[in-house]
């Protein structure tokens, strides 16, 4: 970081970009006292709006538990509690080469995973950025693009360096990590309930996405067998358990948010029709992002949350996710800023048009603002001047940082409520449990994990310390491969559930 005495200079971002910085010629010392007071008053208002008390958190947990229960009882509930047809934990002895295709919220990834046993593996991968157009075009075209990327990976990476010779009709097993809510009645099949995370590809909701993807695999004549359709949380659960057998719950806090855990088949009334051994356990993909959707009875939504919801491509849906996930936090903060611009509180006399477009304020900026180590908050100066062409006073910057903290903290505390509801349902509090967590918020947002842990203590008291989150293994790649391996073994031993 370089800053000249005149208040201009530059910051180097981790991305390699350099931000030019110009401080305003007058800083907070020159501000009229009334303006300073106004910022502090505003902050108090937002503190009230965004703060979750322990009592409120405990009420949310109770309502959450009821929703989980209902989802296990009957099909088509708000929190769908999807049985994934992944039965029990991996043995750690799963071996061999598996392909994983990961269609997440932002990127498409193709991986070759070599499982080596004893919790060890090797992974080779390629990543492709998805365009907004691809997310909204025809669904079959999206799956064709997935197959095309897989073909390039097989043709370049596999045939060249890996010594895997795909001749004579040999096919590689593939796990398809498709991280959107799908209802499943077998492991290699899944009907898309709804798109989330801003996706909206046509002709896909209500269809079997595994069948659609198979069609694309055939079109490109790919030497692979689609063994399993996997949610990223289920992959994370299995991959984390593969390396750390204490893991009982997995969560993703990224562009979207969700959790999976292992449930007893006997405690899932809606599965009675399958006549599965009652002693079996099955991984449940909760799809908890949908908690409180449509009804909006339990979550403390502010007017900014309501605007985010109503202007989204899926109003009323994913109510919990919209308060927590990386796709939305930046937008919530931007809406507060815009309100204060309209009220004449912020950026007086400056042109603020760059802040007026939806979703221009990235959640990564909240992370950067919270982790700015300088007294003058130089990172915040850089963000506002470089991306939005506005200059900030120190008082404004302190206000933005405090606001980011409120929004980030609320997200982490709500996440704690979700974890607590599963812990409490499964009776894990006394014995303790390890929660494998992944996603950009969890991995990159400063203090996100600490705030979840604090939240768990607020909910459960001292016993909350028995619940520890840890960075999970790559569920969408390694987890997908482990599930494909487990499925292959199950199919070979005639245990495949097909109705
Ligand atoms: C999806 C889930 C997914 C989560 C995290 C949510 O929007 O509905 O299926 O697990 O995002 O990627």
């Amino acid at each position: 970081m370089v800053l000249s005495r005149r208040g201009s200079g530059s910051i180097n971002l981790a991305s390699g970009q350099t931000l030019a910085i110009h401080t305003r010629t007058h800083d907070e010392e020159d501000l009229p006292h009334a303006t300073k007071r106004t910022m502090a008053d505003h902050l108090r208002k937002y503190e009230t709006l965004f703060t979750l008390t322990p009592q409120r958190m405990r009420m949310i947990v109770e309502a959450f538990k009821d929703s989980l229960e209902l989802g296990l009882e009957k099909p088509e509930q708000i929190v769908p509690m999807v049985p994934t047809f992944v039965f029990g934990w991996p043995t750690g002895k799963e071996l061999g080469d598996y392909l994983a295709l990961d269609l997440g919220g932002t990127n498409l990834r193709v991986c070759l995973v070599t499982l080596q046993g004893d919790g060890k593996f090797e992974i080779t991968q390629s990543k492709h950025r998805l365009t907004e157009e691809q997310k909204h075009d025809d669904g079959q075209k999206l799956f064709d693009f997935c197959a095309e990327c897989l073909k390039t990976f097989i043709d370049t990476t596999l045939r060249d360096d890996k010594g895997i010779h795909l001749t004579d009709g040999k096919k590689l097993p593939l796990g398809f990590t498709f991280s959107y809510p799908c209802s499943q009645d077998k492991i290699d099949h899944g009907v898309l309930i709804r798109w989330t995370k801003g996706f909206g590809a046509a002709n896909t909701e209500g269809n079997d996405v595994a069948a659609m993807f198979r069609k694309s695999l055939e079109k490109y004549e790919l030497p692979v067998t689609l063994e399993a359709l996997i949610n990223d949380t289920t992959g994370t659960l299995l991959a984390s358990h593969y390396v750390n057998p204490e893991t009982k719950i997995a969560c993703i806090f990224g562009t979207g948010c969700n959790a999976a855990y292992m449930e007893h088949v006997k405690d899932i009334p809606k599965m009675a029709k399958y006549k599965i051994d009652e002693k079996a356990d099955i991984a449940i993909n909760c799809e908890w992002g949908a908690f409180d959707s449509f009804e909006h009875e339990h979550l403390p939504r502010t007017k900014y949350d309501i605007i985010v919801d109503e202007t989204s491509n899926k109003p009323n849906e994913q109510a919990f996710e919209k308060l927590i996930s990386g796709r939305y936090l930046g937008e919530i903060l931007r809406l507060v800023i815009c309100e204060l611009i309209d009220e004449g509180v912020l950026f007086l006399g400056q042109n603020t048009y760059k802040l007026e477009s939806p979703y221009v304020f990235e959640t990564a900026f909240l992370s950067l603002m919270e982790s700015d180590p300088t007294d003058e908050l130089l990172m915040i100066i850089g963000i506002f001047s470089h991306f939005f062409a506005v200059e900030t006073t120190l008082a404004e910057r302190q206000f933005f940082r405090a606001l980011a903290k409120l929004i980030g903290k609320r997200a982490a505390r709500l996440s704690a409520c979700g974890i607590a509801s599963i812990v409490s349902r499964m009776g894990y509090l006394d014995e303790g449990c390890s929660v494998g967590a992944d996603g950009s918020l969890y991995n990159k947002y400063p203090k996100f994990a600490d705030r979840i842990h604090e939240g768990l203590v607020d909910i459960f008291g001292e016993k909350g310390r028995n619940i520890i989150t840890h960075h999970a293994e790559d569920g969408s790649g390694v987890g997908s491969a482990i599930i494909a391996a487990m499925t292959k073994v199950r199919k070979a031993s005639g245990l495949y559930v097909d109705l």
Side-chain angles (χ1 to χ4, degrees):
M1 197 174 304
V2 197
L3 186 73
S4 78
R5 294 182 72 190
R6 299 183 97 132
S8 63
S10 61
I11 288 180
N12 296 322
L13 287 181
S15 63
Q17 263 184 310
T18 303
L19 298 189
I21 297 169
H22 306 285
T23 51
R24 272 169 98 162
T25 43
H26 66 263
D27 222 316
E28 92 286 14
E29 301 86 52
D30 310 323
L31 277 177
H33 190 60
T35 313
K36 274 199 261 177
R37 206 172 47 233
T38 313
M39 290 316 316
D41 287 346
H42 280 289
L43 189 58
R44 265 194 293 282
K45 178 177 119 194
Y46 295 112
E47 264 162 13
T48 315
L49 282 177
F50 286 102
T51 300
L52 271 179
T53 63
Q55 193 200 5
R56 185 73 199 257
M57 291 171 82
R58 287 192 283 265
M59 283 164 66
I60 294 173
V61 174
E62 285 313 304
F64 220 119
K65 275 162 66 184
D66 292 346
S67 290
L68 303 185
E69 186 79 41
L70 205 61
L72 293 171
E73 218 172 285
K74 305 183 218 156
E76 294 173 25
Q77 297 305 299
I78 289 185
V79 177
M81 303 297 277
V82 181
T84 60
F85 293 82
V86 173
F87 292 98
W89 300 111
T91 59
K93 296 197 179 88
E94 291 75 12
L95 295 173
D97 294 317
Y98 296 86
L99 285 165
L101 190 106
D102 168 21
L103 185 65
T106 316
N107 296 309
L108 172 70
R109 217 162 39 114
V110 189
C111 316
L112 172 74
V113 183
T114 306
L115 299 175
Q116 299 161 323
D118 296 329
K120 295 197 196 87
F121 56 84
E122 257 180 19
I123 181 164
T124 315
Q125 55 184 325
S126 73
K127 231 183 198 179
H128 311 260
R129 186 100 188 168
L130 291 165
T131 64
E132 281 309 304
E133 200 190 330
Q134 280 170 321
K135 294 181 191 172
H136 295 275
D137 205 343
D138 184 71
Q140 193 64 54
K141 275 200 197 162
L142 181 63
F143 293 120
D144 279 356
F145 176 68
C146 294
E148 214 179 301
C149 295
L150 188 55
K151 182 171 168 38
T152 312
F153 184 79
I154 291 175
D155 288 347
T156 53
T157 318
L158 288 203
R159 297 202 210 260
D160 294 353
D161 356 303
K162 290 286 151 190
I164 296 169
H165 301 294
L166 291 165
T167 48
D168 306 332
K170 181 180 169 189
K171 289 189 168 187
L172 270 178
L174 170 86
F176 181 25
T177 312
F178 182 77
S179 303
Y180 304 88
C182 290
S183 58
Q184 294 191 267
D185 58 19
K186 46 190 164 179
I187 193 156
D188 50 7
H189 158 275
V191 174
L192 178 62
I193 303 173
R194 67 185 91 88
W195 283 117
T196 59
K197 299 181 273 202
F199 271 63
N203 307 318
T204 320
E205 286 177 336
N207 293 332
D208 176 3
V209 289
M212 290 178 78
F213 185 45
R214 262 193 209 99
K215 200 167 154 194
S216 301
L217 292 175
E218 277 158 25
K219 181 170 165 188
Y220 286 86
E221 298 178 340
L222 291 177
V224 299
T225 311
L226 175 51
E227 295 285 355
L229 183 76
I230 297 147
N231 186 264
D232 50 0
T233 51
T234 320
T236 304
L237 182 67
L238 277 275
S240 290
H241 193 276
Y242 185 72
V243 294
N244 170 10
E246 298 296 304
T247 309
K248 292 183 182 140
I249 300 173
C251 299
I252 302 286
F253 303 111
T255 312
C257 91
N258 189 14
Y261 72 105
M262 205 54 86
E263 181 60 90
H264 313 302
V265 168
K266 68 174 175 39
D267 294 333
I268 312 175
K270 70 180 177 186
M271 284 199 79
K273 62 178 181 182
Y274 292 99
K275 312 256 177 301
I276 295 166
D277 176 2
E278 292 235 315
K279 284 194 228 82
D281 287 339
I282 188 169
I284 296 290
N285 162 19
C286 302
E287 287 298 339
W288 77 11
F291 170 62
D292 208 29
S293 294
F294 303 100
E295 294 164 345
H296 305 302
E297 270 177 331
H298 306 291
L299 294 171
R301 295 200 307 164
T302 64
K303 65 174 164 182
Y304 318 101
D305 301 309
I306 294 172
I307 297 174
V308 165
D309 181 31
E310 287 176 353
T311 55
S312 73
N313 70 330
K314 297 280 181 180
N316 276 320
E317 296 183 7
Q318 299 297 95
F320 188 57
E321 177 162 283
K322 283 175 179 156
L323 304 186
I324 294 180
S325 82
R327 178 168 171 80
Y328 305 101
L329 299 190
E331 179 64 0
I332 298 171
L333 190 131
R334 190 193 70 85
L335 288 169
V336 175
I337 293 179
C338 285
E339 179 180 74
L340 292 174
I341 293 173
D342 285 349
E343 288 175 8
V345 177
L346 289 174
F347 306 124
L348 289 177
Q350 298 190 64
N351 190 340
T352 52
Y353 75 100
K354 286 198 174 183
L355 276 160
E356 278 156 27
S357 311
Y359 291 93
V360 280
F361 206 90
E362 293 176 20
T363 299
F365 295 156
L366 273 69
S367 283
L368 289 170
M369 294 201 299
E370 275 215 57
S371 46
D372 191 334
T374 63
D375 291 342
E376 288 190 80
L377 300 178
L378 299 179
M379 181 60 84
I380 305 183
I381 297 178
I383 291 169
F384 280 89
S385 63
H386 181 84
F387 293 99
F388 305 108
V390 285
E391 291 179 5
T392 48
T393 65
L394 182 59
E396 285 168 346
R397 297 196 290 280
Q398 284 165 340
F399 170 77
F400 295 140
R401 197 216 308 250
L403 199 55
K405 183 170 168 192
L406 288 174
I407 294 170
K409 198 164 169 185
R410 183 185 68 160
R413 288 170 76 75
L414 284 170
S415 306
C417 293
I419 295 173
S421 67
I422 299 178
V423 165
S424 170
R425 169 178 171 78
M426 298 307 289
Y428 292 150
L429 188 58
D430 288 328
E431 63 189 85
C433 95
S434 190
V435 179
D438 205 355
S440 48
L441 267 189
Y442 186 83
N443 297 334
K444 297 193 188 141
Y445 201 105
K447 304 206 191 96
F448 195 79
D450 294 345
R451 289 170 180 164
I452 291 181
H453 295 142
E454 276 163 32
L456 287 165
V457 172
D458 280 350
I459 295 166
F460 291 129
E462 279 305 300
K463 280 193 180 169
R465 299 193 196 283
N466 295 349
I467 316 301
I468 309 278
T469 69
H470 61 90
H471 171 65
E473 281 307 323
D474 166 18
S476 308
V478 179
S480 193
I482 294 168
I483 294 173
M486 289 167 70
T487 310
K488 233 182 123 186
V489 172
R490 260 187 98 74
K491 283 183 181 169
S493 55
L495 282 170
Y496 175 65
V497 178
D498 191 0
L499 295 181

